[in-house]
Amino acid sequence: MKIEQQYFENLLEEGSEEFELIFRSLFKEKYENLYSLLDDTDAFNEPMICAAFSTPIHIPVEQMVLGFLEPLPSKIDVVSNKHGVVHIPKLGYFYTNEPCESLEIRIKDNNSFAIFKSDKEVELISFKEEVYINDTDIEICRSEDESIIQFFPDQTENIQLESGLEKSVMHLNNAYHLIKKHTPFYAEWLNYTMRRIVLFTSPQLNSFASICTLNNAYINLNNERVSDIFFLEEITHQCGHALFYPMSIDRDKLFIMDYTTPMSHFSGIETDDRDLINAFYSFFPQYTGNYIFDVILDHEENLDEDSRLELIGRYAFRMYKYGLGIYQYQEYSDQILSEYGKEMFAIFREGYEKLYEKRKELFDSLDIKDQVYVFDLEKFKSKNLQKTI
C-alpha cells in the first residue's frame, strides 16, 4: 500500500500555519506588549496558549511563555498546582511545598532561581528539567498544568503523571524509534506538530486528544500493560488525532450537513454517542496507524515474541474497528459528505481495503471480537497463538 503522504502533508502544513496565525492574533489582541517579545518564537504552538483561549485558566499567561523569552526576565508571577509544582514550558518544573498558591520566581544572574510568597522566600524543594522523547521537541509532562487540569476540573483524582513518566519513558522512546526507523515521514509529522504527551492514570477518562489543547496527546495507563507496542498504538492513535486537527481545520468543507448530528440519527444505534465529525476523525489515525503497523510487521526483525504477538493482535483489532467504521460511514456518505469530504473518505476506504486484502487470511483467522478498550495480550495468545506461528 502506498500512503497519500503528500496530500496529508500539505494539509498539515497549511492547517498548522492557520492555527498559529489564529493564536497569534488572539494573543496580540489581548496581550499586545507581551506579544512583541514573542513574535519570533514558537510560543503560539504551546498547548497551554490554546487552552488559555478555550477554557478558564488559573495561571498567569506570562508563566506559559516565560521559557520562550531571551533573555529571561528577573522575576515572574506564577501559580503552583495542587502538588505545589510550577511548570514553565521550555524551562522546567519547580517543586515547592506551596500547593495552589500565587508565587513569584526570581531569576538570578547565574540562572539560579528563588521562590517567594508575599515577599518571603519559600523552600524550593527541587527543580527538574523537562523530559523529551529522544531526538524530538516533544515533552513528556511531569506534573499537571493548564493543558490537562481542564479535563479533571474537580482536582480530586491523583492522575500520577510523574510515575507514569518514570515507568514509560523507555517504551515511549522505543515506540517512537520504531516509527522513525520504518516511516520517517510520520516521525517528521509528529515532531513538526506535537509539543507534549501527558501520561496519566485514571479510571474515569480514556486516552484522548482534544482540539481545546492543540499539539497535545493524553495517554491513559490505567490497567494497561505498558510496552513498546502499547505506545506504538497510542502514538499513532492519539497523536494521530492531534495531527488531523490542523489537517481538517476547515471542518465545514467536509460536510453538507451539521457535523454535530449524532451518528445514531442514521444508524439507529442508540448507544452510538459519536457525532458525524468524531466518527470521521477516527479514520485518519486508523489509516496511518495501521499502515505503520503493517510496515513494522513486515520489516522489523528485532521484536521479541510477545511484542510480535501484541503487534499482530492490536493490528487485527484495529482493522476490525476500522472496517466497521468504514462500512457504516460508506452507507450514509452521500447524505453526509461534500465532494471534498468524499475524496478524503475514499482515501481512507481504499487504505482499509488494501491493508485488509494483504492480510485477509490472517485477519479472518484471528479471534479478537472479545477484546475491549484495554487490549488483553494473554487473552489474545490463549485463542490465537497457533494461528500466528
Side-chain angles (χ1 to χ4, degrees):
M1 169 182 155
K2 183 178 180 297
I3 204 161
E4 295 292 339
Q5 179 181 339
Q6 197 60 55
Y7 174 86
F8 288 107
E9 196 163 292
N10 291 341
L11 291 176
L12 179 63
E13 291 175 358
E14 293 166 6
S16 297
E17 289 172 5
E18 188 169 344
F19 268 131
E20 182 176 349
L21 287 173
I22 289 170
F23 288 107
R24 279 182 172 273
S25 177
L26 290 170
F27 196 96
K28 185 176 183 180
E29 182 178 345
K30 193 169 183 179
Y31 309 105
E32 187 170 0
N33 292 338
L34 188 55
Y35 175 84
S36 63
L37 302 176
L38 296 164
D39 191 20
D40 296 326
T41 73
D42 188 41
F44 306 100
N45 290 310
E46 164 55 42
M48 279 197 280
I49 294 296
C50 177
F53 291 101
S54 60
T55 188
I57 60 174
H58 304 86
I59 68 174
V61 69
E62 291 81 1
Q63 181 177 336
M64 302 178 186
V65 300
L66 172 66
F68 295 92
L69 298 177
E70 292 185 6
L72 296 174
S74 59
K75 60 182 181 180
I76 182 175
D77 292 330
V78 297
V79 174
S80 61
N81 67 19
K82 68 177 184 179
H83 305 292
V85 180
V86 175
H87 179 203
I88 298 180
K90 295 294 181 186
L91 193 58
Y93 295 79
F94 297 81
Y95 289 70
T96 78
N97 282 320
E98 303 290 339
C100 302
E101 286 286 354
S102 296
L103 304 169
E104 182 181 80
I105 294 180
R106 298 182 186 177
I107 302 168
K108 302 177 183 179
D109 292 339
N110 60 357
N111 278 344
S112 61
F113 307 97
I115 309 286
F116 286 79
K117 177 182 175 182
S118 302
D119 277 334
K120 180 179 179 181
E121 188 168 1
V122 299
E123 181 184 6
L124 175 57
I125 298 171
S126 65
F127 169 77
K128 296 182 180 180
E129 294 183 343
E130 293 181 329
V131 175
Y132 292 83
I133 296 176
N134 290 344
D135 304 319
T136 77
D137 296 319
I138 306 170
E139 188 215 345
I140 310 171
C141 196
R142 281 190 181 276
S143 190
E144 289 96 323
D145 60 28
E146 293 298 304
S147 69
I148 191 168
I149 285 172
Q150 61 177 305
F151 302 109
F152 296 90
D154 62 6
Q155 285 285 287
T156 59
E157 190 174 2
N158 180 8
I159 56 176
Q160 304 174 43
L161 270 61
E162 185 99 30
S163 61
L165 184 157
E166 291 170 355
K167 72 180 181 181
S168 302
V169 62
M170 179 187 72
H171 297 294
L172 194 52
N173 280 321
N174 290 345
Y176 178 81
H177 174 73
L178 282 172
I179 293 170
K180 185 177 181 181
K181 177 181 177 181
H182 294 287
T183 52
F185 76 89
Y186 196 85
E188 291 176 7
W189 290 359
L190 291 171
N191 203 28
Y192 175 74
T193 305
M194 302 304 299
R195 292 297 178 268
R196 189 168 298 118
I197 289 179
V198 182
L199 307 177
F200 69 101
T201 300
S202 170
Q204 301 180 39
L205 193 62
N206 291 327
S207 300
F208 64 100
S210 172
I211 201 167
C212 295
T213 49
L214 289 168
N215 312 328
N216 252 26
Y218 304 85
I219 298 175
N220 188 4
L221 307 181
N222 190 52
N223 294 327
E224 293 284 2
R225 175 185 174 272
V226 173
S227 68
D228 299 355
I229 306 304
F230 163 72
F231 280 112
L232 180 68
E233 170 147 18
E234 289 301 300
I235 290 173
T236 57
H237 185 174
Q238 305 310 332
C239 295
H241 284 304
L243 291 174
F244 194 60
Y245 289 139
M247 292 179 183
S248 57
I249 188 170
D250 189 356
R251 292 180 285 182
D252 289 315
K253 189 177 177 183
L254 291 164
F255 299 92
I256 55 175
M257 64 178 304
D258 182 359
Y259 55 70
T260 65
T261 303
M263 282 298 296
S264 58
H265 175 80
F266 296 94
S267 67
I269 303 172
E270 295 181 3
T271 55
D272 188 349
D273 59 358
R274 301 171 303 161
D275 54 26
L276 299 185
I277 196 163
N278 284 329
F280 193 82
Y281 275 176
S282 70
F283 296 133
F284 177 80
Q286 295 280 23
Y287 172 73
T288 51
N290 291 1
Y291 169 78
I292 291 168
F293 269 55
D294 191 73
V295 173
I296 291 173
L297 188 56
D298 273 345
H299 299 291
E300 180 54 49
E301 299 175 349
N302 297 318
L303 295 176
D304 60 44
E305 185 61 9
D306 268 2
S307 294
R308 186 184 72 87
L309 290 170
E310 185 175 1
L311 183 67
I312 292 171
R314 287 184 180 274
Y315 184 18
F317 191 45
R318 286 176 67 129
M319 285 295 292
Y320 169 68
K321 293 184 289 185
Y322 191 11
L324 290 178
I326 286 291
Y327 290 126
Q328 183 187 49
Y329 226 90
Q330 174 69 30
E331 186 175 353
Y332 310 110
S333 60
D334 287 341
Q335 304 170 59
I336 295 172
L337 295 172
S338 66
E339 290 305 311
Y340 172 71
K342 289 178 184 177
E343 174 189 330
M344 189 181 293
F345 177 72
I347 294 172
F348 298 144
R349 186 185 64 241
E350 183 180 17
Y352 168 75
E353 291 169 349
K354 287 185 175 180
L355 289 171
Y356 174 72
E357 189 60 34
K358 177 180 177 180
R359 300 189 192 271
K360 182 179 186 301
E361 185 176 348
L362 173 63
F363 291 144
D364 288 351
S365 72
L366 297 176
D367 184 350
I368 43 84
K369 292 184 180 179
D370 60 349
Q371 292 286 344
V372 292
Y373 185 84
V374 176
F375 180 80
D376 189 326
L377 177 60
E378 294 307 315
K379 181 186 291 184
F380 175 77
K381 288 164 63 174
S382 71
K383 296 187 174 186
N384 298 284
L385 191 58
Q386 294 303 313
K387 303 170 187 175
T388 58
I389 294 175

